[in-house]
Amino acid sequence: GDSVTQMEGPVTLSEEAFLTINCTYTATGYPSLFWYVQYPGEGLQLLLKATKADDKGSNKGFEATYRKETTSFHLEKGSVQVSDSAVYFCALSDLQAGTALIFGKGTTLSVSS
Amino acid sequence: DAGVTQSPTHLIKTRGQQVTLRCSPKSGHDTVSWYQQALGQGPQFIFQYYEEEERQRGNFPDRFSGHQFPNYSSELNVNALLLGDSALYLCASNLIMGGNSPLHFGNGTRLTVT
């Protein structure tokens, strides 16, 4: 079945460092890909999405490109802030078929000043 | 514009008891999904409700059941609670019509089974 694999955390960075969180997926169809963020004590918030190959999702300085050839959707940010500390989840779904989101296990990011 | 709201925020139950969790979807949304998030794990899909019917179901036993009301709000019921049911239960809503918009999540209900 469909699945998502994320890099293990935690990821610890200093403020203004470059961030990459790797995500690869396995899917039988043509899924949409998502990054969700979960701040402490809160639910998940949609960070960005991409619905087809070569699409780039972006939001709040974060970017991810849908790479069909490598089945990847890596999250990047050029300069992280302390406020970016959270758990990041990669997920996939076939939106047109109305299928449920399948999540990775999450990657904890901790940014220090 | 209120987002997805869930109640209660925290709940403690004893093994073998039954629990009901509640969810109100974001305004304008017609579909509600429930996810279970164990500590340190990603959310896992329980089921989805649309037009007051269960449309999809994940790999969860029949002890997990749900309901959707005419105003689109939803309940999740879990019977015969096990210690392993302790988790954060997340409700999410979206709009099926027009191509299935991305999910919006509530802050969750933290269930502890002792």
Side-chain angles (χ1 to χ4, degrees):
Chain A
D2 294 357
S3 66
V4 174
T5 302
Q6 285 181 242
M7 64 185 286
E8 297 273 335
V11 174
T12 304
L13 295 173
S14 298
E15 209 165 21
E16 299 183 4
F18 184 85
L19 168 71
T20 300
I21 300 178
N22 290 337
C23 171
T24 57
Y25 68 91
T26 302
T28 52
Y30 300 94
S32 295
L33 301 174
F34 306 84
W35 278 100
Y36 279 83
V37 58
Q38 187 173 35
Y39 297 101
E42 298 184 11
L44 279 75
Q45 299 176 25
L46 177 65
L47 181 59
L48 53 85
K49 68 180 176 77
T51 57
K52 62 182 187 297
D54 299 326
D55 268 2
K56 177 185 283 188
S58 61
N59 186 26
K60 300 181 181 179
F62 291 89
E63 292 184 339
T65 301
Y66 190 141
R67 301 284 188 202
K68 193 168 183 292
E69 63 275 14
T70 54
T71 61
S72 65
F73 192 56
H74 304 322
L75 182 68
E76 296 182 337
K77 187 175 185 183
S79 176
V80 294
Q81 304 300 312
V82 172
S83 57
D84 294 327
S85 298
V87 183
Y88 292 82
F89 292 93
C90 185
L92 67 79
S93 172
D94 187 340
L95 281 179
Q96 291 305 313
T99 60
L101 277 170
I102 296 172
F103 286 90
K105 291 187 175 181
T107 302
T108 300
L109 170 65
S110 178
V111 181
S112 58
S113 58
Chain B
D1 178 21
V4 178
T5 58
Q6 293 186 241
S7 63
T9 54
H10 295 83
L11 204 50
I12 300 174
K13 289 287 189 178
T14 302
R15 192 171 44 184
Q17 286 188 317
Q18 179 264 345
V19 68
T20 297
L21 311 182
R22 296 177 174 83
C23 172
S24 292
K26 179 179 168 64
S27 177
H29 286 181
D30 58 7
T31 303
V32 172
S33 302
W34 288 92
Y35 288 77
Q36 181 195 66
Q37 186 179 13
L39 198 61
Q41 301 294 315
Q44 289 198 309
F45 174 69
I46 303 174
F47 42 54
Q48 179 194 72
Y49 276 83
Y50 172 64
E51 292 187 328
E52 302 179 46
E53 291 188 11
E54 184 181 294
R55 299 292 178 166
Q56 292 184 60
R57 190 179 182 91
N59 188 25
F60 279 80
D62 291 346
R63 297 187 298 107
F64 290 76
S65 63
H67 189 78
Q68 185 181 34
F69 299 94
N71 66 354
Y72 307 116
S73 67
S74 176
E75 289 181 350
L76 163 65
N77 301 290
V78 186
N79 294 322
L81 284 166
L82 304 173
L83 296 179
D85 295 331
S86 295
L88 181 67
Y89 288 84
L90 295 167
C91 174
S93 71
N94 68 330
L95 183 65
I96 287 279
M97 297 295 290
N100 225 332
S101 60
L103 293 180
H104 289 252
F105 284 83
N107 286 344
T109 295
R110 172 73 62 187
L111 172 65
T112 303
V113 182
T114 62

